[in-house]
Structures are given as structure tokens and as C-alpha cells.
Amino acid sequence: MTTPESPSAGRPKAVLYRNGSVYTAADPFATAMVVEGGTVAWVGSEQAATSIADSSMEIIDLRGALVTPGFVDSHAHLTETGIALGSLALGSTASAAELLAAVAAAPGQGTVLGHGWDETRWADATLPTAEELDRAAGGRAVYLARVDVHSALVSATLAGSAELRGRDGFDGGPRVRRDAHAAARQFTRALPAATLREHQARALAEAAANGYVAVAEMGAPHIGGAEDLRIAAAWNEGAAGAPAVPEVLPYWGELAESEAHARSILDSFGFGIRGLAGDLNIDGSLGSRTAALRSAYSDSAEQGTLYLGVDEAAAHLAACSLLGIQGGFHVIGDAGLDAALDALDLAAEQVGEQRVRAAGHRFEHVEMVDAAAVARLAKYAVTVSAQPAFDAAWGGPGGLYEQRLGERSRGMNPFATLYAQGVPVCFGSDSPVTPLRPWSSIRACLEHHNPDQRISARAAFLGHTRAGWRAARHPDFMAGQLVPGAPASFAVWEVEELMVQVADGRVQSWSTDPRARTPLLPALDTGTDPTCLQTVSNGVELFASPALRH
């Protein structure tokens, strides 16, 4: 932590946080906490804090603020997030004309980059033509990622430069999917290492300012390539003069054909890859109609795309199981999940069910899952890494889910069912698909569009914190909690009100009664998120608001 040095000890002072609230299982009434080095040394009451405070400590008056374990984003893309934060923000565009106007007004030189358009929110879903994009950009190449980043709009200039003609997913028009989209994105991401670091630094600063102490970086050959992941993992080395940033938990989405192949992939990086998982795509997205469905989309005759077959997915899971590392896939559609689950069965036949379970495999997204599939996930102890903000964005009446799936949309993202059946669940943003806003994500769990799938704020909070460490198989079992001896990784929040919030509409949904002996969380029914005042990872300050110490 960036605190004054103790003259006598020659080391950072202990820091006493007092006069607030501390979210801890050690004491539901805790109002104070002492941090020493990288560890939580003590939590307790204000009266006890008065007795232990002395001149050797830095004392921070919380003035009613809340201290919680820091958040873990279990699925993010740093370079993509940094690019989105620094390019055209197209989420609010409501028509092709507005999108073209944004392109025409884009500053700078070189390729026009943008992110976030969603035609399902437009009154008229007609997209601009490639030629219109060229004219709006004045001849500059244009790449505009759809909100789900599984398709994009490209100008004719970019299509020519990236040699998209003849690729799967390119029909000569502006919208590219599948292989053509991967090629277009990679063309725009062929950047110097220094530029990639700048994008990642922007994303990590955004994460720190929103209370994140760690992010699971989902690298893959078709996204940013190996060099992009190497740069992301290097942030953990803490280069001299570089700002402290959230820990990066690196995953690599490359298919392994055998145990030896899997080992060679891991060895090629020279640093600790958490697993051969993440965005190893079994299928695509609903918004781009590339998620693989058992039956056709409600608004199209398409059924999406299976990028991997059962046999090759099983070989991958078997290889990872033999090495004792996490394997897994990006999977969204019900037919995609069928393939992933069949692959688990086949891998278990090949290497044994116990090895498959012990590896702690993880599937990303898993949006369309029925009761039978939930049981199979539980059987193999597969962690589901989900994004609650997807439901908030697309789950309402008339939203994208309903447009694409009709009645099937009601069964999307069944968090309560997954929890009830013992499936491990962790949460993330898939940034830049949804923003790095953890409290909004927790609110999405409380306000799920299907009331039967709502979960409590406490369950959602744990899914965004401690469960994220467990899903990444972090070696410190105390990570993600504020108890003596645990890592000092936390965030301080300015809050309006604290309460206990549950998801069952049949009973009182909140309580401020301390006799419940449940640690209190911010009231999220106000429509506003708590404000982050400080983020600390292992005792090192990542972010601090000027308001914290004044």
C-alpha cells in the first residue's frame, strides 16, 4: 500500500481502517480492520479499534464507508476493453444513420474503430452498406464490433486490405461473421507491443477504479494471439515504475489434441497459464446468430455454428484432465452445450470420471441450459463462468433473447437452478461486451427477468469475489474474504445504505436488522451503484479517490 514508511521498522506502516463497515465472516458487526503488509491482521469493533490505534499506524477514517473483499472478473478481454474505451462508443446509436454520423465524426487518422452497436435496439434494423461506411469515413478503413464482438461491420476498404473475400462469413456486404470476422479483427489488432500495453493499461485502470483486484484474461489465437496474452500476463511482474494493477489470471483458448500437445502449448508461454479454457469456441453468440441451437432461431432459419466436434472437444478435455489442468470452452447455445457435455462423457470414458472431475474444468457463458444439462454439469463438477449483465441487457420483454429465441428465452441464464443443483458458479463481465461494473452485475442477479432464477445479493456477491478465486484454482484458500491471515485484497465503497437482500419475492426482500447476523451489503434497489473510494491488492493500493483521505 502506498503509505508512509515507519522510521523505526523501515517498512510500510500498518493501516487501520475505522468508523465504517467491514464485510467479513469473522464478525458481522465489524466496523474496523487492520492491514499489515499484504495481509489482513485484524477485524473488529470501533471500541477495540480505539484501544489499538497508535502513532505507528496510518489511520483512515471511513466515515461510514463499506470495506469488502475485492472483486474478481472471471471473464474479460483487456486489449479489447482498452480499445473499446478509447474508440467510438456505439451502444447508444439507434439507427444506421446515427452510426454513420459517428463514423464521420471520428477523430484521428488510420482505421476507424468502434464497439457496441446493437441493431436489435433499433426501430429499423437495416444496417449501413459497406460503401456508406467508406463514404462516412472518407476512405479510412472501418471496423465496428457488434456489442457481442462475434460479428462486425467493415468498410469495403478494410475488407480489401484484410483480404476477406472468399472467407467463411463474408458475403460482400458490411457484416462479417465467423472466419471473416476473426480475420478482420486480427487485421485491426496487428499493433506494436507498446500500443497493446497502452490498451491493456487503460482496461486495468478501469477495473481498479471499479473495485476489481483480479481479472481472468481470456486469450485465444483468434482474438489477440499469444503475444497479446504474454503482455497481459507480464503485468503480474510489477515492472519498476509501472502502476500497480489488478492481478491477471491468464487463460488460453487453444485446442489440444493430446496430453503431449497440451503440455507443449503450456510450455510455449514460459509462465503460468491457468488453463486451456476460456474462449475456445464451441459456438458463437446469440446476437450474431452463431450460437449453435437445437432448432432454428425464432427470427431466422439459421441454427448457428458448431466450431468444434464432440470428438475433438473430448480429446481436449481428456488431455487437460491427464495434466490436471483446467480445460473448457465458450459455449452459449443449447446444441453447443450438448456437444460440450457429450465431450465430457467421452473424455470420462477415455481417462476416467474422477480425473475429469478433479481437473476442475470450466465452461464460459452457458446461457441455454435445461435441467438435464444442469445435472450433467454437476456430475463432472464443471464451473459455469456466467455474465449476469447479459440478462439485464437482453433478457427483458422484447429484448434480444426474446427476438432470437421466442419462448425459449425464459429459460436463459438459470442461476438459481445452477446453485440449487450444486454447480459451481462464478461471475464476470465479458468486458467489453458489458462494462466493468460489479454492483450492476450483482443487481442483475437480484432482478433477473425470470423471478424463479433470482439469487440473493450475498450469493451473487460471493460469485463475484471468492468464487472467482476458486474458479481460477487460486492456491490461497483464504483469497476473497476479509479475515485475519487472508490476503489484504479489498475495496472501499461509499454507500447510501446497507441491508440484507434476498431474491424471493414471496418474503420480505431486505432487512437492516443486525440480529440477522448476516454481513450487510449495499442497497441496490436505489438504481445507483456504490462509488469506489479505494482498491487494494495484497496490501498494494491500485486506486484511490481523493475523497478517501480527506
Side-chain angles (χ1 to χ4, degrees):
M1 185 175 300
T2 54
T3 58
E5 293 289 318
S6 167
S8 59
R11 55 185 177 141
K13 287 184 177 182
V15 183
L16 169 62
Y17 294 81
R18 61 181 303 181
N19 189 29
S21 296
V22 181
Y23 186 94
T24 172
D27 179 358
F29 307 123
T31 60
M33 178 176 75
V34 172
V35 172
E36 193 161 11
T39 304
V40 176
W42 173 86
V43 293
S45 68
E46 187 61 25
Q47 182 178 4
T50 299
S51 68
I52 65 174
D54 62 42
S55 61
S56 70
M57 298 177 172
E58 181 189 8
I59 299 176
I60 294 180
D61 185 350
L62 293 169
R63 297 188 296 278
L66 171 68
V67 183
T68 71
F71 287 101
V72 178
D73 193 304
S74 291
H75 189 119
H77 302 279
L78 293 175
T79 298
E80 292 290 320
T81 297
I83 289 173
L85 289 169
S87 62
L88 296 180
L90 302 174
S92 63
T93 56
S95 66
E98 289 188 13
L99 187 145
L100 289 168
V103 170
Q109 304 297 319
T111 302
V112 177
L113 300 176
H115 170 266
W117 60 272
D118 181 357
E119 81 287 5
T120 67
R121 298 180 183 274
W122 300 358
D124 178 356
T126 303
L127 299 173
T129 67
E131 291 71 26
E132 286 174 329
L133 289 170
D134 270 309
R135 286 196 295 272
R140 296 164 65 186
V142 179
Y143 170 90
L144 309 176
R146 194 182 184 281
V147 63
D148 56 10
V149 201
H150 280 264
S151 62
L153 296 176
V154 301
S155 63
T157 298
L158 188 137
S161 298
E163 299 179 348
L164 302 186
R165 187 171 302 279
R167 289 184 179 271
D168 176 47
F170 179 71
D171 61 5
R175 187 164 187 170
V176 291
R177 300 188 295 173
R178 300 188 293 274
D179 181 55
H181 174 245
R185 176 162 64 177
Q186 288 176 328
F187 177 80
T188 67
R189 275 37 171 181
L191 302 169
T195 303
L196 294 174
R197 278 193 292 271
E198 289 173 5
H199 291 312
Q200 293 182 6
R202 186 183 299 117
L204 287 165
E206 177 79 1
N210 285 280
Y212 289 97
V213 295
V215 295
E217 168 66 6
M218 297 301 175
H222 65 281
I223 298 177
E227 181 60 20
D228 187 66
L229 187 63
R230 288 190 179 94
I231 293 170
W235 289 101
N236 293 335
E237 299 170 7
V245 297
E247 182 174 351
V248 176
L249 307 171
Y251 283 85
W252 182 241
E254 182 174 350
L255 189 70
E257 299 173 359
S258 64
E259 180 183 3
H261 184 211
R263 189 183 302 278
S264 71
I265 294 171
L266 296 174
D267 291 346
S268 70
F269 283 96
F271 57 85
I273 298 291
R274 293 279 167 174
L276 298 179
D279 276 343
L280 173 52
N281 288 9
I282 270 192
D283 68 349
S285 75
L286 293 168
S288 295
R289 296 194 190 89
T290 50
L293 305 186
R294 294 171 182 167
S295 56
Y297 284 83
S298 295
D299 56 358
S300 169
E302 298 176 274
Q303 284 186 243
T305 305
L306 270 178
Y307 295 118
L308 296 177
V310 172
D311 288 345
E312 54 188 345
H316 177 80
L317 291 172
C320 293
S321 299
L322 289 170
L323 282 181
I325 65 166
Q326 288 180 299
F329 311 102
H330 162 117
V331 53
I332 288 181
D334 48 9
L337 184 57
D338 289 342
L341 293 170
D342 289 347
L344 278 170
D345 288 338
L346 185 54
E349 291 178 13
Q350 294 170 354
V351 302
E353 182 179 326
Q354 184 54 37
R355 272 206 174 107
V356 172
R357 288 177 56 86
H361 301 307
R362 55 185 289 162
F363 290 173
E364 309 299 313
H365 312 310
V366 191
E367 294 192 72
M368 296 183 71
V369 50
D370 57 24
V374 171
R376 295 172 75 185
L377 289 167
K379 173 183 176 181
Y380 292 111
V382 174
T383 293
V384 168
S385 171
Q387 293 69 43
F390 286 7
D391 180 76
W394 303 313
L400 179 143
Y401 287 162
E402 188 174 278
Q403 291 180 43
R404 294 286 191 265
L405 301 172
E407 285 299 314
R408 292 170 290 179
S409 64
R410 185 168 175 79
M412 299 291 290
N413 300 299
F415 301 144
T417 299
L418 290 166
Y419 271 83
Q421 296 302 314
V423 175
V425 179
C426 62
F427 294 123
S429 64
D430 198 14
S431 180
V433 177
T434 66
L436 291 159
R437 297 292 184 272
W439 294 110
S440 292
S441 187
I442 291 173
R443 182 186 296 108
C445 293
L446 283 166
E447 299 177 355
H448 195 293
H449 283 92
N450 181 350
D452 293 338
Q453 297 303 333
R454 294 171 182 169
I455 59 176
S456 70
R458 180 173 182 270
F461 180 78
L462 292 175
H464 284 82
T465 54
R466 195 172 184 185
W469 293 114
R470 289 179 172 175
R473 306 186 77 184
H474 194 274
D476 191 338
F477 71 95
M478 299 181 76
Q481 53 186 327
L482 296 179
V483 296
S489 296
F490 58 90
V492 179
W493 304 92
E494 183 178 15
V495 296
E496 295 181 13
E497 183 181 4
L498 298 174
M499 60 176 59
V500 175
Q501 297 156 98
V502 298
D504 191 342
R506 296 168 297 179
V507 299
Q508 181 175 311
S509 63
W510 58 270
S511 170
T512 56
D513 189 343
R515 292 173 297 179
R517 296 195 64 82
T518 300
L520 301 178
L521 285 168
L524 297 175
D525 56 358
T526 63
T528 59
D529 288 356
T531 300
C532 187
L533 299 176
Q534 186 189 39
T535 306
V536 174
S537 176
N538 293 304
V540 177
E541 188 173 80
L542 309 183
F543 166 81
S545 164
L548 177 71
R549 294 182 174 92
H550 291 87

